[in-house]
Amino acid sequence: MTDPYRISSPEPDAATPRATSRHAARRPPLSKGALALRALLWLVLMASSVVNLIANSIGRAWSLGLVSGAVAIVCVAVLIVHHVSRRRT
């Protein structure tokens, strides 16, 4: 007796190519400039987050913490914009 609740996958057909993802097949790879920008933004985000943490732990360096926090927020915003614009292409 077959199980009515089991989802069985169809047998793979050797003649039809398999796509790993519907989005991965359409999206071209990142250019070197875009990849470098993304890596730089991540590095600046991590560095500014560490500086913000240290400056706020000290207590007297509130202006440094404020500036590094603003830099971190800008990096997050640019990374989000870069990701969304990449998904639309």
Side-chain angles (χ1 to χ4, degrees), residues 28-60:
L30 280 173
S31 67
K32 288 184 180 182
L35 192 61
L37 173 68
R38 188 177 285 184
L40 180 67
L41 284 170
W42 276 107
L43 286 173
V44 171
L45 174 64
M46 288 186 286
S48 63
S49 297
V50 169
V51 169
N52 187 7
L53 179 72
I54 292 171
N56 287 330
S57 296
I58 292 172
R60 291 188 175 182

Side-chain angles (χ1 to χ4, degrees), residues 5-24:
Y5 299 106
R6 174 170 279 184
I7 300 173
S8 61
S9 61
E11 293 296 320
D13 187 14
T16 59
R18 292 177 55 191
T20 56
S21 163
R22 63 184 174 114
H23 297 295

